[in-house]
Amino acid sequence: MTAKDELFSRLEYLSAAKNLPELIDVGVAQSTHNGVANLLRKGLGIVAFNILEDFIKKRASEALGRISGSRIDFFKLPLKLQDAAILDALSALVFRARLEKKDGGDWRGLVQAESLKIHSTGNSSFQLSDFSLASAGSNVSAEEVPAILAAFGISGGWTVLKKVSDSIGGGLPDLSQAYKNASSRRHSCAHEANFNYSFIWLEAIKSEILAIAASLDVVLEARCRQVESSLSINVQDHNIDAALNYRFLHDVAGVHKESKAIGGRTIKNWHDQSEALRVLLPRLRPAQEFLILLDSGRRISDWYVS
């Protein structure tokens, strides 16, 4: 199951849980119902942010696998990725192995397997460790997201993700701040007994997760496509903007309007979304495009990279 598949499966459960009446306060006075509702919202607040963190980690691992499988020379990778594949992977491996040992797992097998990957970076054929990025701790900080992009030679961090989000209907004024807020609330939910997790935050978190996850997915896929198409070029020398091309399906009263820009000229009206996907998905990679599905409010509801 891909990182995106897992994300959507978990978001489905989150959406269903969010609509339970047990999560909604009744009146403003303190009561057993409202106290229980807040406890449940706090639990979902923690889980919701963990869903996004897990996506970031797994999507970064998928991108590392794509780079390894491309057969590009190790020295053509950005220096930050070269360092991460050795130093950061080693540091994260120690952290993960200690957790595995504490839990009674096969920590020796883990060290042996990942050590081989780290050692392989000295060979013409290498395999980057999944622990190279965002793996040195239990959580993914707001600073680690730009570090992931930088490792793939993409400068600009959250600014780049915001630009992509704006282009695909993400609808967030500030992705970095949204991530930091969600992280801070998760921390408060876990460590502050009296913290009140607002239902409004719970209502908004799915759209925040979608905007951040889609933007990261698109950027990493764009870079992987560039690497695979030009093995002779240093990874950081590619122009990421040149690989960010979109096609949209905008749901308007059950009709899916195909266009190349949000609000742009309609290329075709599709009355069957599955038929539209059958036709359009095989064209994405040859055309260097990403397919973005928009809801009636022109906000992203789904996306496809291939």
Side-chain angles (χ1 to χ4, degrees), residues 107-123:
W107 64 273
R108 290 185 178 87
L110 176 66
V111 171
Q112 291 163 347
E114 294 303 318
S115 295
L116 286 175
K117 295 177 184 178
I118 295 172
H119 180 266
S120 75
T121 59
N123 304 327

Side-chain angles (χ1 to χ4, degrees), residues 270-288:
W270 296 87
H271 295 277
D272 185 340
Q273 179 178 294
S274 61
E275 177 64 13
L277 295 179
R278 185 189 68 79
V279 173
L280 296 177
L281 293 187
R283 301 175 182 175
L284 293 182
R285 187 165 295 191
Q288 294 294 296

Side-chain angles (χ1 to χ4, degrees), residues 231-247:
L231 298 180
S232 62
I233 299 176
N234 292 328
V235 172
Q236 65 272 19
D237 291 341
H238 290 284
N239 177 11
I240 193 64
D241 290 331
L244 300 175
N245 307 297
Y246 310 107
R247 189 170 295 268

